[in-house]
């Protein structure tokens, strides 16, 4: 017992075998196995043994440093995370150095991005070696900021391109992955930021945006906002803050807010002589019959104001059905638009992708049989289409009126000529890139370069 050394509740660990010069660990006697932050895991075979290749981001406050590691795989275990979800984790064995002592430990490889510490030192590593004094930190070994900076200097890449943030919710979405790839391919540094994990400090002297455990976000040249409708209010507040900090935001908060308010957007289009299907908006159920008559009667479209991807959009085939749907929507006190149904469109619409005032790609979407919504998310089929100059002008004008640098403009062909359906400020790339074969993600990055007058 007397031979045991005292260890604090936080300590520095060194993994020479993995090439990690120093990583801060939280000492946790409540956890059995130690755990380290690891991403991009790949199991490989060396002779008769299984090994794992993975990357470690050892510094909480600098996620641009990623160290490629390799270690022998010793186990696969079901581990319950702090949120109570069980998942399979790969376990490796590797030597760790704490102060003057070096010994082998087992490490589970986990994504600890949301945790305050990139590593957790469990009781298997502590048993018969240390006694934990939770009141102390860095008892065995401490490194100054200068020493850490020196250790990690070889891993820092020279900045050759722009520093871009992709502000979204799901890094695994096709569109987000493509934008990340396109930025990296053009030599830029791009960081994925989850809207809901960022928070801000409002202050005249030193405004800030912080992320996950206090990492201060600075020096972004540009921000690509792709915020889902449910986080519009908060996402737009973040975009304004980035703008205040000097970053160019590809779509401004004002432009996104306007495009998400379908009623306001429709009023702007009418005011600017952009033809849209006849649209009605009302509050009181008493007006239902006249509202239906006003948009030329059934069949007609009824939309929730906040609808997206074709959700919250209903086709009422008869006046009676239209009344029922409108009154049902109103009984739950939600805002709705009613719109004339363009029968001659035959369930087809056109999506024009506008970047910096140019239509860079267009596709036709055909609704499934028996379905009137042509959205890809509703099973619509996409194909390449040559649009008319009138349609091109309409798409460009619509994006310009909402002041969107990137927009998905939906148009429908009617007997009266092209009509504008709506404008999306975070248009998806998958359907249109696959249908047209065009690299739209690259177009978005090139547009940022032009805006910032950047040349390699």
């Amino acid at each position: 017992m007397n031979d045991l050394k005292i260890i604090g509740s936080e300590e520095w660990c060194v993994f020479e075998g993995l090439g990690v010069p120093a990583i801060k660990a939280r000492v946790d006697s409540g956890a059995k196995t130690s755990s380290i932050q690891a991403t991009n895991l790949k199991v490989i075979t060396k002779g008769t043994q299984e090994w794992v290749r993975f990357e470690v981001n050892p510094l909480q406050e600098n996620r641009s440093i990623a160290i490629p590691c390799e270690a022998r795989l010793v186990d696969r275990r079901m581990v319950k995370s702090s949120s109570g979800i069980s998942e399979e984790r790969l376990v490796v064995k590797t030597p760790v150095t704490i102060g003057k002592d070096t010994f082998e430990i087992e490490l589970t490889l986990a994504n600890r991005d949301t945790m305050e510490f990139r590593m957790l030192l469990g009781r298997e590593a502590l048993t018969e070696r240390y006694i934990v004094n939770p009141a102390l930190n860095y008892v065995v070994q401490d490194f100054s900021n200068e020493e850490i900076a020196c250790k990690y200097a070889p891993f820092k890449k020279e900045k050759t391109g722009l520093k871009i943030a992709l502000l979204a919710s799901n890094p695994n979405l096709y569109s987000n992955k493509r934008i990340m790839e396109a930025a990296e391919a053009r030599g830029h540094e791009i960081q994925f930021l989850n809207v809901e994990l960022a928070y801000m400090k409002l202050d005249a002297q030193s405004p800030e945006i912080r992320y996950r455990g206090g990492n201060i976000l600075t020096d972004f040249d540009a921000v690509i906002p792709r915020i889902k409708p449910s986080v519009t209010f908060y996402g737009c507040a973040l975009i304004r803050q980035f703008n205040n900090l000097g970053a160019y935001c590809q779509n401004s908060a004002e432009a996104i807010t306007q495009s998400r308010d379908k009623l306001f957007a429709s009023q702007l289009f009418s005011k600017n002589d952009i033809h849209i299907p006849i649209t009605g908006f009302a509050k009181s159920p008493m007006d239902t019959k006249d509202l239906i008559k006003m948009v030329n009667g059934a069949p007609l479209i009824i939309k929730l104001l906040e609808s997206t991807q074709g959700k919250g959009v209903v086709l009422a085939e008869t006046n009676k059905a239209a009344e029922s749907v409108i009154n049902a929507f109103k009984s739950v006190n939600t805002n709705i638009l009613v719109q004339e149904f363009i029968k001659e469109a035959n369930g087809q619409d056109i999506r024009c992708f506008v970047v910096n005032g140019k239509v860079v790609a267009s596709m036709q979407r055909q609704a499934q049989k028996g379905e009137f919504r042509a959205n890809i998310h509703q099973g619509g089929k996409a194909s390449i289409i040559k649009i008319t100059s009138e349609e091109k002008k309409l798409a460009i004008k619509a994006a310009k009126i909402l002041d969107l640098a990137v927009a998905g403009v939906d148009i429908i062909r009617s007997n009266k000529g092209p009509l504008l359906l709506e404008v999306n400020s975070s248009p998806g790339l998958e359907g249109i890139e696959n249908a047209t074969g065009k690299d739209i993600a690259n177009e978005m990055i090139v547009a940022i370069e032009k805006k910032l007058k950047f040349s390699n």
Side-chain angles (χ1 to χ4, degrees), residues 257-275:
T257 306
Q258 285 183 160
S259 71
R260 293 270 160 95
D261 183 340
K262 287 192 168 54
L263 176 64
F264 182 42
S266 298
Q267 288 174 316
L268 276 176
F269 298 143
S270 299
K271 183 184 166 188
N272 287 279
D273 197 32
I274 281 189
H275 296 277

Side-chain angles (χ1 to χ4, degrees), residues 129-285:
R129 290 191 183 97
Y130 301 105
I131 292 175
V132 183
N133 183 340
L136 301 174
N137 287 334
Y138 313 112
V139 180
V140 183
Q141 179 161 282
D142 198 3
F143 295 124
S144 67
N145 289 341
E146 289 74 24
E147 285 174 299
I148 290 298
C150 189
K151 284 176 185 291
Y152 281 101
F155 298 96
K156 287 188 179 162
K157 295 187 189 86
E158 277 300 305
K159 187 179 167 188
T160 52
L162 296 169
K163 189 175 178 188
I164 302 170
L166 175 58
L167 190 63
S169 293
N170 182 356
N172 299 316
L173 275 187
Y174 174 93
S175 301
N176 295 337
K177 280 180 168 172
R178 285 285 301 109
I179 290 166
M180 300 279 286
E181 287 166 10
E184 282 164 4
R186 295 190 66 82
H188 306 305
E189 182 191 327
I190 186 160
Q191 199 170 326
F192 182 89
L193 300 177
N194 186 325
V195 177
E196 291 160 84
L197 297 180
Y199 50 102
M200 57 199 126
K201 173 184 163 195
L202 308 176
D203 174 59
Q205 285 337 105
S206 56
E208 286 174 354
I209 296 177
R210 294 188 175 220
Y211 193 67
R212 283 180 173 162
N215 188 6
I216 298 172
L217 302 175
T218 54
D219 307 332
F220 282 111
D221 299 297
V223 175
I224 302 171
R226 294 190 61 84
I227 51 178
K228 58 186 180 184
S230 59
V231 291
T232 301
F233 179 79
Y234 188 67
C236 285
L238 273 172
I239 294 163
R240 282 192 294 272
Q241 187 80 341
F242 273 116
N243 189 45
N244 292 346
L245 291 168
Y248 162 65
C249 300
Q250 194 163 33
N251 276 342
S252 71
E254 292 68 31
I256 293 167
T257 306
Q258 285 183 160
S259 71
R260 293 270 160 95
D261 183 340
K262 287 192 168 54
L263 176 64
F264 182 42
S266 298
Q267 288 174 316
L268 276 176
F269 298 143
S270 299
K271 183 184 166 188
N272 287 279
D273 197 32
I274 281 189
H275 296 277
I276 62 171
I278 299 165
T279 303
F281 179 70
K283 186 74 182 155
S284 160

